[in-house]
Amino acid sequence: MKKETEHVLLINDIAGYGKISLGVMIPIMSHMGFNIYNLPTAVVSNTLDYGLFDILDTTDYMRNTLKVWKELGFSFDAICTGLIISEEQVKLVAEYCREQRKKGVHIFVDPIMGDDGKLYNGVSENTVVYMRQICSVADIVMPNYTEAVFLADMYQDRDEVTRDEAKKIVDALRNMGSKSVIVTSIVVDGQSCVFGYDYYKGDYFTIPFDYVPVHFSGTGDIFSALLIGGVLKGKELQESTKFAMDMVRTLILKNAENVDKYKGIPIEKYLEEMTNF
């Protein structure tokens, strides 16, 4: 991965209340020195954990914006995709990523579709099919275990896998076109870990972690921003992954006593610490 990548497009949602998605990725990656641009997939009133929320679908805005950018000749060095809220949006983003990949743009995909063994409400099997198209042009794809097995069409009704099974899941994503693969929140042979494959080194790797039973909204977005930023700066994939994992754990422990965890982690006070690697 080249080290001088500067212009990064983030395709994700943005919340009016809560430190998630674009609200955390923009400041983190900007602080890392990148020129950050964004294409919101939705404007959300607040983090969904509150149970009551409103979502503004921005599909028409996305389509028109990409058309305008094309006419203006705007270009990026890397594209990072996150939450995409409809089949139509996934199809639109898949087409755009395929076009940009042909121009040498790096593609990073966090295929946000589900967790805890099931797809989120509103995510259909067709969404999974279109998400595979985005993953097929990805330099790095970063699903959690649930998303990985749906993408690989290897769903199984259990939380734990063997190392050989983990490799088969990763290989299924590689076979559809993804270069490097990171599977988060997976239990391999009884150990919670991140399991991955580094395309450039040709190696599988496992990074174990101790589960912290505290949930904050937005930690996945912090993880993605740090991992992607590290790779774009020329760090090795495993090094960037380990740093992102350790930093998310540190932030959770430092804020474990916060009363309203649905608001996410107040990242501004930790920007220097987060990007110092």
Side-chain angles (χ1 to χ4, degrees):
M1 197 69 63
K2 60 183 180 180
K3 297 183 180 181
E4 300 304 323
T5 302
E6 292 186 352
H7 302 279
V8 181
L9 172 64
L10 305 179
I11 302 178
N12 210 336
D13 67 305
I14 187 165
Y17 190 94
K19 299 290 184 180
I20 63 169
S21 308
L22 292 176
V24 297
M25 295 189 76
I26 290 174
I28 291 173
M29 297 190 73
S30 293
H31 200 74
M32 296 178 82
F34 300 106
N35 293 313
I36 300 299
Y37 310 86
N38 67 88
L39 184 64
T41 57
V43 180
V44 187
S45 58
N46 45 266
T47 56
L48 307 188
D49 295 295
Y50 287 105
L52 179 64
F53 53 85
D54 188 61
I55 297 179
L56 175 65
D57 185 323
T58 59
T59 304
D60 289 339
Y61 165 80
M62 291 173 66
R63 184 182 297 105
N64 294 335
T65 295
L66 291 175
K67 181 180 178 181
V68 169
W69 287 355
K70 184 175 182 179
E71 292 179 5
L72 291 172
F74 291 166
S75 63
F76 310 97
D77 299 303
I79 298 172
C80 313
T81 72
L83 181 66
I84 305 174
I85 67 169
S86 67
E87 291 177 23
E88 187 176 1
Q89 281 192 5
V90 177
K91 188 175 180 179
L92 178 67
V93 173
E95 182 179 349
Y96 182 66
C97 286
R98 280 197 304 270
E99 291 174 354
Q100 296 305 304
R101 189 69 182 87
K102 292 176 182 177
K103 300 177 181 179
V105 176
H106 297 296
I107 309 294
F108 301 91
V109 178
D110 183 359
I112 301 171
M113 296 186 297
D115 204 356
D116 297 325
K118 59 183 182 295
L119 296 172
Y120 296 134
N121 289 334
V123 177
S124 68
E125 287 295 333
N126 283 337
T127 302
V128 177
V129 171
Y130 286 124
M131 189 63 78
R132 289 181 184 133
Q133 295 181 22
I134 302 179
C135 293
S136 72
V137 295
D139 287 274
I140 301 176
V141 60
M142 303 168 284
N144 61 32
Y145 171 66
T146 296
E147 293 154 350
V149 294
F150 272 102
L151 287 169
D153 197 19
M154 298 172 65
Y155 180 75
Q156 43 200 348
D157 190 20
R158 56 193 174 91
D159 297 330
E160 183 177 336
V161 296
T162 65
R163 180 176 174 82
D164 284 343
E165 288 171 329
K167 289 175 68 175
K168 288 178 181 177
I169 293 169
V170 166
D171 286 346
L173 300 182
R174 292 174 55 213
N175 289 337
M176 70 177 62
S178 303
K179 289 184 177 179
S180 295
V181 179
I182 299 289
V183 181
T184 62
S185 304
I186 186 171
V187 180
V188 178
D189 294 330
Q191 173 65 61
S192 296
C193 65
V194 168
F195 187 84
Y197 176 82
D198 187 334
Y199 170 82
Y200 294 99
K201 298 182 72 174
D203 289 337
Y204 298 91
F205 62 87
T206 303
I207 307 177
F209 64 86
D210 293 323
Y211 177 71
V212 179
V214 179
H215 172 74
F216 277 94
S217 301
T219 51
D221 302 303
I222 296 173
F223 173 84
S224 295
L226 292 172
L227 188 156
I228 293 167
V231 170
L232 289 175
K233 283 184 170 294
K235 304 288 186 180
E236 290 189 353
L237 178 58
Q238 189 167 344
E239 179 186 6
S240 296
T241 302
K242 181 67 163 59
F243 178 83
M245 292 169 63
D246 291 346
M247 183 51 61
V248 169
R249 177 183 173 82
T250 296
L251 294 175
I252 290 174
L253 293 176
K254 285 186 175 183
N255 291 272
E257 302 305 316
N258 292 10
V259 175
D260 187 356
K261 295 178 176 60
Y262 294 163
K263 288 174 65 174
I265 291 172
I267 60 167
E268 287 78 6
K269 66 174 71 174
Y270 306 107
L271 286 176
E272 197 65 35
E273 181 180 354
M274 276 193 286
T275 57
N276 187 27
F277 81 108

